[in-house]
Amino acid sequence: GSCLKDCVPGPFGCAIVPPPVVLYDSIDVCCSIGQPWVDSLYCNSRSVGSYTNGWVVDYALEKCAKDCKPDSGTPCSDVSDFYTPIYDTVQECCGLLNWIDQGKCVSVSNSSQ
């Protein structure tokens, strides 16, 4: 779900790449061409050790989860489904749960419920 930079190994995503691994000019290109099945926002953020701060649908709990550092508190969650589309706003995300009142979805998604 992420791309690594071919450089001297360190804490920020660098790895020595053995042949025949394909090298790309940027994280964007690596994510879009090298891992097209992974949401590009997810791949780009994880490749630099961060989160998207976007929202993903949690169909099981019928709410949206925010992709941000979990120890930051509510509504942050550890989103690990790298193939799930990520939305910019909780309202946009809740729009996909169209059988639920959007106001209720937004409220539940922003709380610890």
Side-chain angles (χ1 to χ4, degrees):
S2 65
C3 294
L4 300 175
K5 188 172 182 180
D6 180 33
C7 61
V8 177
F12 300 107
C14 291
I16 297 173
V17 179
V21 173
V22 177
L23 298 177
Y24 299 96
D25 292 331
S26 69
I27 289 173
D28 288 334
V29 174
C30 176
C31 289
S32 64
I33 295 174
Q35 299 193 53
W37 60 91
V38 178
D39 181 272
S40 62
L41 293 173
Y42 185 93
C43 181
N44 279 282
S45 67
R46 293 315 192 271
S47 295
V48 296
S50 68
Y51 296 87
T52 66
N53 291 312
W55 295 84
V56 297
V57 177
D58 184 334
Y59 289 100
L61 296 177
E62 294 187 327
K63 69 176 195 170
C64 291
K66 188 168 185 179
D67 179 40
C68 50
K69 193 173 182 179
D71 60 3
S72 296
T74 303
C76 292
S77 178
D78 185 16
V79 174
S80 58
D81 292 334
F82 55 81
Y83 51 85
T84 302
I86 297 173
Y87 301 94
D88 292 332
T89 67
V90 66
Q91 291 83 2
E92 184 182 6
C93 180
C94 283
L96 279 93
L97 296 167
N98 57 9
W99 62 92
I100 299 171
D101 176 75
Q102 185 166 8
K104 181 179 180 183
C105 176
V106 169
S107 176
V108 169
S109 298
N110 279 313
S111 72
S112 59
Q113 297 177 344

